[in-house]
Amino acid sequence: MIRVERIDDLRARCEDTRHRGGTVGLVPTMGFFHEGHRSLMRAARAHHDLVVTTIFVNPLQFGPTEDLDAYPRDLAGDAAAADAEGVDLLFTPSVAEMYPEPTRTTVHVAGLTEGLCGAERPTHFDGVTTVVAKLFSIVGPCHAYFGRKDFQQLAVVTRMAADLDLPVRVVGCPLVREPDGLAMSSRNAYLSADDRRRAPGIFAALRAGVRAVEDGERDPGELRRLVERSGGARGIDFEYVEVRRASDLAVVDHLADEIVVAVAARVGASRLIDNVTLQISGARVASDLGVITQGSA
Ligand code: AMP
């Protein structure tokens, strides 16, 4: 694996691969790798000649009171993990490399960014789309792998690529969970032992929601309240519980077709997000609660 810090180096290596007829798979991240990140690298490795992983804790996507400075970092551990997953190129630019001047250009995806996490974090998605647009521009034609853990982010980035005709195919990959159901997140590192015991209550509440739909619940308001109550009983105070159409995050008044139940909760010092998608066809319900890893919880 080669590590590069310069935009020009990354661009040249991607161009060289395509010039020789190869394809590029891109995995953008903020580092502090866990199995969720690694699953994206494996998906890219399975399909492409050159696998590029980027690590950049992007200041633009953090609000003024958020955890930019405290965000966990471990470059040596990340490099070893990326190497073990067969990543070819690890791009670790500095802030000065990515933003030599304060950027005057921002990419904004309207509508999709307004509810859910956009309500609590009004500038967050503009930061994400701006840096992802830069990475797509630097890497060029490729497939880019994103986790369904950040469901709204995936929808926003997919729409950005379509609206701007970017030569990038965005690929959504399954949400990876700890053995006790907690969605893997770099921010789980902030959890105290007590908070860590409480946090799987988020997953349990989503699972209770799935069971209710399996038992015939078709009212989004009832489903929201049930998930809220189920979380509350486990010490989880949700910031939001939203039931939306999965394809475009539109508000729904009846549960049918593909639905996402998306939640955020503050647990101790961490703001955690999670979701489940449901495919509802008449009385038939299929749910995607993600991939539970094996191991000792
Ligand atoms: P981050 O480093 O948190 O910005 O995440 C980088 C990429 O990894 C994003 O596409 C995330 O959606 C994805 N990711 C983070 N956690 C998970 C998870 N538990 N399962 C699957 N993908 C994840």
Side-chain angles (χ1 to χ4, degrees):
M1 186 180 74
I2 299 169
R3 181 155 82 89
V4 298
E5 297 182 346
R6 298 267 172 230
I7 288 171
D8 288 348
D9 283 347
L10 174 60
R11 194 191 297 277
R13 287 174 191 274
C14 293
E15 276 172 3
D16 181 56
T17 294
R18 284 188 300 269
H19 192 65
R20 287 185 284 107
T23 64
V24 178
L26 169 66
V27 181
T29 80
M30 297 204 299
F32 209 68
F33 293 153
H34 50 66
E35 188 55 28
H37 297 111
R38 295 178 71 141
S39 71
L40 303 182
M41 296 174 207
R42 288 199 290 276
R45 181 70 285 162
H47 292 101
H48 301 286
D49 300 292
L50 183 76
V51 175
V52 177
T53 294
T54 68
I55 300 177
F56 182 59
V57 182
N58 173 34
L60 274 194
Q61 70 191 68
F62 289 76
T65 62
E66 293 182 0
D67 55 347
L68 173 62
D69 293 335
Y71 197 82
R73 297 162 208 245
D74 175 12
L75 189 51
D78 285 351
D83 193 35
E85 295 299 348
V87 169
D88 299 300
L89 205 54
L90 186 64
F91 179 54
T92 58
S94 65
V95 172
E97 179 72 7
M98 290 299 277
Y99 303 115
E101 306 265 352
T103 185
R104 291 175 185 265
T105 305
T106 304
V107 179
H108 175 68
V109 176
L112 286 175
T113 54
E114 273 150 31
L116 295 93
C117 286
E120 172 81 10
R121 309 183 74 192
T123 58
H124 170 68
F125 286 112
D126 286 3
V128 171
T129 42
T130 300
V131 80
V132 171
K134 283 167 71 75
L135 291 172
F136 285 3
S137 160
I138 297 163
V139 169
C142 67
H143 284 58
Y145 292 78
F146 288 83
R148 291 168 70 91
K149 150 96 181 341
D150 299 85
F151 196 89
Q152 187 177 16
Q153 169 175 279
L154 175 59
V156 167
V157 168
T158 302
R159 184 59 188 253
M160 174 191 77
D163 281 353
L164 298 181
D165 297 304
L166 302 179
V168 176
R169 178 81 63 84
V170 175
V171 182
C173 297
L175 192 166
V176 180
R177 299 183 179 282
E178 299 284 357
D180 60 9
L182 176 64
M184 288 195 180
S185 166
S186 306
R187 290 190 166 98
N188 292 349
Y190 303 146
L191 295 171
S192 68
D194 253 18
D195 295 334
R196 178 64 187 82
R197 274 191 289 277
R198 204 154 42 93
I202 298 171
F203 172 70
L206 286 173
R207 208 175 36 193
V210 169
R211 292 218 182 96
V213 178
E214 286 169 348
D215 290 344
E217 183 60 72
R218 293 294 181 270
D219 181 88
E222 285 302 321
L223 176 58
R224 285 178 59 180
R225 284 186 283 279
L226 183 138
V227 171
E228 266 164 17
R229 273 201 310 276
S230 175
R234 295 172 166 85
I236 301 294
D237 186 16
F238 285 114
E239 175 189 306
Y240 69 74
V241 176
E242 294 281 352
V243 178
R244 300 291 183 96
R245 186 160 65 198
S247 58
D248 59 1
L249 305 181
V251 173
V252 292
D253 56 14
H254 182 72
L255 300 181
D257 305 323
E258 212 194 349
I259 294 292
V260 61
V261 184
V263 301
R266 221 165 263 288
V267 181
S270 299
R271 181 179 178 281
L272 304 179
I273 59 171
D274 202 339
N275 70 84
V276 58
T277 49
L278 293 156
Q279 185 73 46
I280 305 165
S281 165
R284 271 213 318 274
V285 177
S287 63
D288 179 10
L289 280 161
V291 179
I292 308 233
T293 56
Q294 304 299 309
S296 54

